[in-house]
Amino acid sequence: MHVIIEFGVGNKEKMILFVGRLAEKKGVTYLITAMKGVVKGFPGCKLVVLGDGQEKPSLIRQCQQLGLLGSIVFAGSVPNAELPKFYRAADVFVLPSIIAKSGDTEGLGVVLLEAIAAGTPVIASDVGGIPDIVIHGKTGLLVAQKSPEQLAAAINKLLGSSALSKKLVVAAKK
């Protein structure tokens, strides 16, 4: 049951969550592009983006250009003590990290561990230390970096299958 009414996510809408700094290596631009394919199958779904950073203005412009402002909520930073309620409310957690132009990439991806601990199925890019946490098809779904198509397909797969989501969560918690 969703408890994120203040961001326009009610009990009937599917909720996708991203938590992190809004920087190039986080790959949020690819998640936003993926949302075009997600809202086709799940018109009422919302992507809640928690975090701030230098990329926020360009990400908001991207949402405007794609006509997705009603489907994506930039909630800003929230205190760490509030994060568990967001993880629990989400139907899917996504970490679309990439290898940045500078070569920087995701280390461990602590947000993945937090999502798993909250019982939320995870989707992440197959870069950096992420495959140490997410085993594709067992503890979550891995996609190629910079692939909005794969992200959309993985999100739609989990939003459409509570059985698969539960299976991944149970294995990830073990």
Side-chain angles (χ1 to χ4, degrees):
M1 181 145 111
H2 296 294
V3 293
I4 315 300
I5 302 297
E6 66 263 37
F7 297 119
V9 181
N11 291 331
K12 293 182 179 159
E13 292 91 8
K14 298 284 188 178
M15 179 181 153
I16 301 149
L17 180 65
F18 167 85
V19 176
R21 194 169 36 88
L22 300 181
E24 180 193 4
K25 77 176 186 178
K26 297 297 183 177
V28 179
T29 186
Y30 300 98
L31 178 55
I32 289 170
T33 301
M35 285 299 293
K36 284 294 271 192
V38 175
V39 296
K40 285 179 185 169
F42 298 90
C45 75
K46 301 270 187 187
L47 167 61
V48 175
V49 177
L50 295 183
D52 280 310
Q54 68 271 21
E55 293 221 336
K56 187 173 184 177
S58 66
L59 295 172
I60 291 171
R61 277 193 304 278
Q62 179 185 2
C63 290
Q64 290 168 328
Q65 291 165 349
L66 294 174
L68 290 170
L69 281 179
S71 300
I72 300 175
V73 178
F74 288 90
S77 294
V78 299
N80 284 341
E82 301 246 342
L83 287 176
K85 82 173 182 179
F86 285 92
Y87 287 119
R88 284 191 304 272
D91 294 287
V92 178
F93 177 81
V94 182
L95 185 61
S97 299
I98 65 166
I99 299 171
K101 292 175 193 130
S102 66
D104 193 17
T105 193
E106 198 68 49
L108 179 62
V110 172
V111 291
L112 289 166
L113 298 172
E114 292 172 345
I116 289 166
T120 305
V122 299
I123 298 169
S125 299
D126 190 6
V127 298
I130 292 172
D132 293 335
I133 297 168
V134 180
I135 301 164
H136 182 68
K138 182 168 181 180
T139 62
L141 298 179
L142 288 175
V143 298
Q145 68 164 328
K146 302 180 182 180
S147 178
E149 300 80 15
Q150 285 188 22
L151 277 170
I155 293 167
N156 287 336
K157 186 174 187 174
L158 286 185
L159 291 180
S161 176
S162 59
L164 176 59
S165 293
K166 287 176 189 168
K167 177 186 148 206
L168 295 175
V169 165
V170 168
K173 280 190 166 191
K174 284 183 183 176

